[in-house]
Amino acid sequence: MYRWNADYATTVAGTPLASQTYTNFSDNAWLQMNFATQASGNYLWVLSDPVETVGVWTYTASTHPSTAYLNGSTAGLAGYDYVSEVYDLGTAPNVVPSLREWTSAAGDFSLAAGSRIAVDSAYNAALADTANTLREDILALTGLALNVVTTTSPAAGDFYLTLNNTDSGIGSEGYIMQAADYVTIKANSAKGVFYGTRTALQILNQSTDKTGIPKGTARDYPAYKERGFMLDVARKYFTVDSIKDIIKFLSWHKMNDLHIHFTDNDAFRLVSTTYPGLAAAQSYSHADLRAIQDFARKYQVTITPEIDLPGHATAITSYKPSIANQTWSDVIDLSLPDTFTFVNNLLDEFVPLFDAPDFHLGTDETPNDARGFPYFDRHVDTDTRTHNYALAQGYSTAGELYRKFINDYNTVLKNKGKKTRVWAWFDTLPGNIPISNDITYDAWLADGIQSISQRGFQIINSSAKYLYSVPGTGWQTDNVFLYQTWKPYMFDSFNTSNLLSSRDPNILGVKFNNWNDISLAKGFTEKEIAKVVASPLRIVSEHTWGGPQSVEGYPAFLNRAALAGEPPGLLTLGGNAPINLALTRPVTTSSNVNGDLEGMYAVDGAATTRWASAEGADPQWIYVDLGTSSNFNRVKLNWETAYGKAYTISVSDDAINWRTIYSTASGNGGIDEISFPVAKARYVKILGTQRGTDWGYSLWELGVYYDLPQGNNYALNKTAAASSVFPSWTNPSNVLDGNELTRWSSNEGTDPQWISVDLGQSRTINRVRLNWEAAYGKSYKIQVSTDAVNWTDVYSTSAGNGGIDDIGFPATTARYVRMYGTQRGTPFGYSLYELGVYYDNLSLTDLASAKPAYASGVYPSGNVAGNATDNSMTTRWSSPEGIDPQWIYVDLGSSKSFNEVRLYWEAAFGKTYKIEVSNHAVNWTNIYQTVSGDGGLDVIPFSDVNARYVRMYGLERGTDWGYSLYSFQVYSN
């Protein structure tokens, strides 16, 4: 990620400028950048207009010359205004979306028990809510209860919030965060300050004890006004608490709009006092709407409501059949006065209940000119009643009634103080009545988008191809393409692709859309849907905020997102990390049973859908395309009853040549969690060679994960040596200091070069992580030694591409570890921020295996506590039904050191529970707690503890039954 450095002298023909903006620049001129005062390092010079980058050049200042200029041709750039910027290639704090600008400083800010949230006294009224929200989030994240005070004199360890800011360039949503002995967050609005607190929390979340922020200054601001998400609650009801969690997730990523699709054919989800009985059984009362919006205001998210009319109205016409169109029951009849009385009464009731400046009227997928897919074949004039009425009104087609409906209700909404949004569709309506261009155009379709912009409509990009998710179907976004290739000015739907100019002022921004057409039928839970949409939402946040993207692409972005974490205090939707790389990715299979139960069901995120192969035949296989070459070191297989007894896991870069990374001949079903040394590949295949039953192979889930090292970094603060050092301040020890802002670099232009670490004693190791600076190794080896004289290769590559290389290899014992570079990837030398050495224990021993277990209760009588530690996934412990709390604990026999618990739940899972430890089974210490358990397998890591007894203490059941565990496992990882 690029780290901003703002104090460069900028010159044209040697003349310093006060501003870095060049106005009406002349063609074929040259710009010159003065690096004379800068430290050695690698820099980027970026020439851009306010919308897009038009030139990028690199420069290396390897000494400290009195003058050094970089010349870049600007041919063909006449007559425009350009901004010239210089970036230092380095590592800014991990934030999603990435920071626009960052200047680093030495040291770290530290949060402590005495820290405060200090609000500038002059702005207390405007910032009090933000301060209290930050206090709640810090408490949930760190356990520290900070006092909120008003002052103009912050102290070390404080967060200082203020609107005393003179930088108009960051706009109304940007902020400046200055981390020194205290952290100042300043902006032009409370919303900007709030977004600064999200950045601070994400950075805190990544520090070892969640109290540190690297010192430096962030200047951060969005590229687009609209950064949204649409949630379809009409087809799949979401609880109020789940909606609150979605609001938190959006605000965590600086997204500002939650569009809620409240009505559709399936249900009308707004409880109406005007029309009792219209709403479905699960719907939102006026009080619910107020609670949702108050919570959203606290997190700086706007709730944009949608009542979808005049189509998608079966729920309405079922309630009031007299206003249904005679031909299409999902459309209200626009020839009847009663229809407009009904709609007017609805809007009179519900529009005033919403604070948002916009109100969405839907208006898509009505009868139109019947031009075919995806616009349907329902011609508007097929319905006799509306056609004849239109003719009587002097129109030539009933399409004019639909056009008039949009304009008339745009006027109604404007009179109520709202701006109208509609879905793309009206250009398919026959007729000549022009649609008012003060309506916002929600562009799920790409046809005619240039015309829409030329007519002056403001546009939200909701492209159906890349910005839609329909859980349970193959209609999912391609996250790899979305991150690495797609841009907010690209409009794609079905077989149509269109572009607007990247600088088109009518593009308001982007909205990702969830449609739950079959979610209910497929049994998707709210949490499963949230997992499906989480990654594309993060991607949209980064595109619309506008900061630099991860240069290594989507896998690196996923790692950044995992580090940034989730918002603290989620009520129902937490636990989405680590991220499943296989989720919603394309799948290929050897067969499907009866042509059904397709492979995509193994990666769709639902616990109730599955892939099943043809029965009675071996071998069978399933493989998933991760979209791009990715690091991973764990595969999760959740077998249905038809499991694989003998199978292999293979990986490939081309889906033709496969290499096996795991095999077993003793599979026994249930959930297989398979860890292995870090592999890098695009495709992952499960090849079953022997079925465990007479049926085929069947998987509820195929998950592929990348886990960061869990153990200690054996190289941290040890001794390093190198073949060379240049310049002198890039000491080899910098790669072992745990600071990603310091680095080692070798002499330039020379191969080979190396750097080694002395671990101080012989260690068993199987993993090395290299965090490259811009000067990376294209060809290099990882070597190990017991004496620093005789070296053994454990890994080699000739295709290095910089960034972070996470390298796994078979476990070996060594004292010395060396990176031996044989071919540089740049004209410079080799340069590393960090070199880490680890041992991932891939063959863990379950400390609880066959140990005695005890429980608060048993029901039925055969489901005893010992079933949870008997190594069988067919027996289980279960507690009495309908009673909280309940518990089960295992006696390890003596005090043991451990740092992970795994719970394999039967259907009766714990929603809220603790993991506790004790040395005498009387007084218990809490080491973990969750309020959002969702069953399945819970893998719970924590810091090393020593104890004899380990207990799961259930506080709230996830079902009406009791608590039930197939297996309770304890590990030292």
Side-chain angles (χ1 to χ4, degrees):
M1 186 185 299
Y2 299 142
R3 184 169 74 255
W4 169 262
N5 196 325
D7 58 353
Y8 292 86
T10 305
T11 62
V12 175
T15 305
L17 300 176
S19 170
Q20 290 182 306
T21 300
Y22 302 100
T23 302
N24 199 24
F25 199 66
S26 59
D27 198 10
N28 295 316
W30 293 76
L31 297 181
Q32 295 180 310
M33 305 299 296
N34 189 341
F35 287 82
T37 61
Q38 299 313 309
S40 300
N42 300 301
Y43 302 101
L44 273 189
W45 180 21
V46 179
L47 186 65
S48 59
D49 66 20
V51 176
E52 65 180 350
T53 299
V54 295
V56 179
W57 300 271
T58 58
Y59 180 78
T60 300
S62 57
T63 60
H64 299 275
S66 58
T67 58
Y69 294 96
L70 170 66
N71 295 329
S73 172
T74 59
L77 305 181
Y80 293 94
D81 294 347
Y82 293 96
V83 176
S84 182
E85 301 168 331
V86 173
Y87 294 82
D88 176 8
L89 286 171
T91 303
N94 273 317
V95 178
V96 177
S98 62
L99 297 175
R100 297 292 295 268
E101 304 175 14
W102 171 260
T103 306
S104 62
D108 294 285
F109 160 84
S110 294
L111 188 67
S115 296
R116 306 171 302 170
I117 299 172
V119 181
D120 187 337
S121 305
Y123 304 102
N124 184 51
L127 296 176
D129 288 346
T130 297
N132 288 323
T133 302
L134 177 59
R135 181 188 186 278
E136 293 170 8
D137 290 338
I138 288 177
L139 178 62
L141 182 68
T142 69
L144 295 174
L146 306 189
N147 291 326
V148 177
V149 301
T150 56
T151 183
T152 56
S153 302
D158 287 352
F159 281 97
Y160 182 53
L161 312 183
T162 181
L163 297 178
N164 183 13
N165 177 56
T166 59
D167 187 345
S168 61
I170 61 174
S172 62
E173 293 185 292
Y175 65 92
I176 295 171
M177 184 184 80
Q178 298 165 320
D181 291 338
Y182 57 87
V183 174
T184 299
I185 301 175
K186 58 184 180 179
N188 299 316
S189 69
K191 178 176 281 191
V193 172
F194 178 84
Y195 286 149
T197 67
R198 302 305 91 183
T199 291
L201 288 164
Q202 285 193 21
I203 299 171
L204 285 173
N205 189 50
Q206 297 166 64
S207 66
T208 303
D209 55 2
K210 301 189 185 303
T211 61
I213 295 177
K215 290 183 177 179
T217 299
R219 184 174 181 267
D220 208 18
Y221 44 92
Y224 289 93
K225 177 181 177 181
E226 168 72 16
R227 307 181 301 280
F229 173 53
M230 192 218 74
L231 179 67
D232 178 6
V233 303
R235 296 178 176 91
K236 162 68 180 175
Y237 176 77
F238 276 63
T239 65
V240 171
D241 280 347
S242 292
I243 292 174
K244 288 180 177 179
D245 277 0
I246 290 169
I247 290 167
K248 275 193 170 184
F249 184 89
L250 294 177
S251 74
W252 186 250
H253 298 97
K254 303 183 179 71
M255 299 183 75
N256 59 4
D257 184 23
L258 175 57
H259 165 188
I260 303 182
H261 185 75
F262 282 111
T263 73
D264 212 294
N265 294 325
D266 304 70
F268 193 97
R269 298 285 185 192
L270 298 168
V271 176
S272 174
T273 57
T274 307
Y275 295 110
L278 171 62
Q282 290 182 307
S283 291
Y284 306 98
S285 67
H286 289 198
D288 289 335
L289 299 178
R290 185 71 267 147
I292 290 169
Q293 290 179 97
D294 287 346
F295 190 85
R297 185 186 305 110
K298 175 179 175 180
Y299 283 90
Q300 298 294 342
V301 173
T302 298
I303 302 297
T304 299
E306 180 185 355
I307 295 179
D308 202 349
L309 295 168
H312 289 275
T314 302
I316 292 174
T317 60
S318 297
Y319 172 80
K320 193 173 179 64
S322 63
I323 64 171
N325 184 284
Q326 286 186 325
T327 304
W328 304 290
S329 62
D330 63 328
V331 182
I332 56 175
D333 194 314
L334 300 187
S335 70
L336 302 176
D338 282 356
T339 297
F340 295 94
T341 299
F342 186 90
V343 173
N344 291 340
N345 289 341
L346 273 186
L347 296 182
D348 285 345
E349 176 179 358
F350 287 110
V351 172
L353 298 181
F354 290 96
D355 306 327
D358 289 14
F359 196 96
H360 207 302
L361 267 183
T363 76
D364 70 326
E365 295 187 334
T366 62
N368 57 359
D369 58 10
R371 62 180 65 181
F373 180 84
Y375 301 99
F376 301 161
D377 295 310
R378 306 191 301 182
H379 198 286
V380 69
D381 290 309
T382 301
D383 181 68
T384 303
R385 185 161 67 185
T386 52
H387 174 71
N388 290 339
Y389 176 78
L391 295 180
Q393 298 299 308
Y395 301 128
S396 61
T397 171
E400 300 285 29
L401 302 181
Y402 291 84
R403 289 175 168 268
K404 187 173 184 296
F405 179 91
I406 296 172
N407 283 341
D408 287 350
Y409 280 100
N410 178 44
T411 300
V412 169
L413 290 173
K414 284 194 291 188
N415 290 338
K416 294 179 182 295
K418 303 296 185 183
K419 182 176 177 61
T420 305
R421 289 188 191 179
V422 300
W423 293 108
W425 194 260
F426 54 69
D427 275 353
T428 73
L429 298 171
N432 299 307
I433 296 176
I435 304 300
S436 175
N437 68 358
D438 59 359
I439 291 172
T440 297
Y441 187 84
D442 203 343
W444 70 287
L445 299 170
D447 289 333
I449 195 67
Q450 293 91 347
S451 172
I452 292 294
S453 178
Q454 290 163 6
R455 282 179 271 167
F457 289 91
Q458 291 191 311
I459 300 166
I460 296 172
N461 192 343
S462 288
S463 298
K465 184 173 182 179
Y466 295 119
L467 298 170
Y468 268 32
S469 168
V470 185
T473 76
W475 196 346
Q476 305 292 339
T477 185
D478 180 342
N479 288 334
V480 176
F481 181 91
L482 190 67
Y483 188 74
Q484 297 181 176
T485 306
W486 181 86
K487 302 297 180 187
Y489 50 84
M490 297 169 62
F491 293 78
D492 298 82
S493 59
F494 308 102
N495 296 319
T496 303
S497 297
N498 280 315
L499 296 176
L500 291 179
S501 166
S502 60
R503 57 173 64 87
D504 192 314
N506 289 321
I507 303 176
L508 288 178
V510 177
K511 178 160 57 69
F512 190 78
N513 301 272
N514 151 250
W515 294 106
N516 292 315
D517 297 59
I518 65 170
S519 297
L520 194 62
K522 292 291 186 181
F524 273 78
T525 66
E526 294 146 297
K527 185 167 185 176
E528 288 167 346
I529 294 169
K531 286 184 177 181
V532 169
V533 302
S535 287
L537 283 175
R538 292 182 176 108
I539 294 169
V540 168
S541 82
E542 186 136 311
H543 276 302
T544 54
W545 194 258
Q549 293 181 233
S550 297
V551 294
E552 289 185 280
Y554 180 63
F557 172 75
L558 285 183
N559 294 338
R560 280 181 41 223
L563 289 169
E566 297 173 332
L570 294 179
L571 298 172
T572 64
L573 302 183
N576 289 339
I579 297 166
N580 179 4
L581 302 175
L583 189 64
T584 73
R585 295 300 308 165
V587 167
T588 304
T589 64
S590 54
S591 64
N592 305 319
V593 64
N594 299 324
D596 198 6
L597 301 179
E598 299 174 40
M600 72 174 185
Y601 294 134
V603 297
D604 66 357
T608 56
T609 61
R610 64 186 175 96
W611 163 68
S613 75
E615 297 182 354
D618 288 312
Q620 299 288 339
W621 48 261
I622 179 173
Y623 71 79
V624 59
D625 177 2
L626 304 182
T628 188
S629 186
S630 305
N631 285 331
F632 50 90
N633 53 4
R634 179 164 58 92
V635 166
K636 176 181 177 181
L637 303 177
N638 186 356
W639 295 100
E640 193 253 1
T641 306
Y643 66 91
K645 181 179 180 182
Y647 64 88
T648 62
I649 299 176
S650 302
V651 298
S652 174
D653 294 317
D654 56 12
I656 299 172
N657 302 292
W658 297 89
R659 60 187 186 277
T660 300
I661 59 173
Y662 173 82
S663 66
T664 183
S666 56
N668 61 356
I671 297 175
D672 289 345
E673 287 271 357
I674 302 149
S675 296
F676 39 82
V678 176
K680 188 171 186 179
R682 174 170 173 171
Y683 301 90
V684 182
K685 180 165 73 173
I686 314 303
L687 173 64
T689 55
Q690 183 182 356
R691 292 161 291 115
T693 68
D694 292 333
W695 304 309
Y697 298 81
S698 185
L699 284 167
W700 297 110
E701 179 190 0
L702 192 171
V704 179
Y705 298 90
Y706 171 70
D707 297 325
L708 292 170
Q710 299 295 314
N712 295 326
N713 176 5
Y714 293 140
L716 189 64
N717 296 320
K718 294 301 192 298
T719 303
S723 54
S724 63
V725 175
F726 183 83
S728 59
W729 51 268
T730 61
N731 193 286
S733 63
N734 289 346
V735 304
L736 311 179
D737 63 2
N739 184 349
E740 294 188 347
L741 301 180
T742 63
R743 63 187 176 94
W744 159 76
S745 58
S746 73
N747 286 342
E748 298 182 353
T750 305
D751 289 310
Q753 298 287 338
W754 54 262
I755 184 169
S756 66
V757 55
D758 178 359
L759 303 179
Q761 65 184 78
S762 288
R763 297 279 192 181
T764 300
I765 60 173
N766 60 2
R767 187 171 185 175
V768 167
R769 277 171 58 90
L770 303 177
N771 186 352
W772 294 100
E773 193 253 1
Y776 65 90
K778 181 180 180 182
S779 297
Y780 65 88
K781 303 175 181 180
I782 300 298
Q783 301 175 315
V784 298
S785 175
T786 57
D787 57 11
V789 176
N790 301 294
W791 295 91
T792 301
D793 297 347
V794 294
Y795 172 83
S796 65
T797 184
S798 58
N801 61 355
I804 294 177
D805 288 345
D806 197 330
I807 302 157
F809 45 85
T812 188
T813 300
R815 173 170 174 168
Y816 301 90
V817 180
R818 180 166 74 174
M819 186 289 297
Y820 190 86
T822 56
Q823 182 183 359
R824 292 160 291 114
T826 70
F828 317 127
Y830 297 81
S831 184
L832 284 167
Y833 289 118
E834 288 293 300
L835 189 162
V837 180
Y838 304 89
Y839 175 61
D840 285 344
N841 189 353
L842 305 179
S843 55
L844 301 177
T845 299
D846 176 13
L847 302 178
S849 175
K851 295 296 193 295
Y854 308 88
S856 54
V858 172
Y859 180 83
S861 59
N863 289 351
V864 296
N867 290 349
T869 59
D870 67 356
N871 300 314
S872 171
M873 294 298 289
T874 61
T875 62
R876 61 187 175 95
W877 162 74
S878 57
S879 74
E881 298 181 353
I883 301 173
D884 288 311
Q886 297 288 334
W887 50 261
I888 180 173
Y889 73 80
V890 59
D891 178 359
L892 303 181
S894 62
S895 183
K896 306 283 187 183
S897 175
F898 53 91
N899 55 15
E900 183 176 291
V901 165
R902 297 184 184 184
L903 303 177
Y904 289 80
W905 295 98
E906 192 254 0
F909 64 92
K911 181 181 179 183
T912 301
Y913 65 87
K914 303 176 183 179
I915 301 298
E916 301 175 314
V917 297
S918 175
N919 278 313
H920 35 62
V922 178
N923 298 310
W924 296 87
T925 299
N926 183 27
I927 58 172
Y928 171 82
Q929 182 168 350
T930 184
V931 296
S932 56
D934 63 345
L937 169 63
D938 289 347
V939 178
I940 305 162
F942 41 82
S943 299
D944 290 344
V945 295
N946 289 281
R948 174 172 174 171
Y949 302 94
V950 189
R951 179 165 76 172
M952 186 290 297
Y953 192 87
L955 296 167
E956 181 186 358
R957 291 161 290 117
T959 68
D960 293 333
W961 307 312
Y963 298 82
S964 184
L965 284 169
Y966 286 117
S967 187
F968 186 144
Q969 301 174 3
V970 179
Y971 294 98
S972 176
N973 189 345

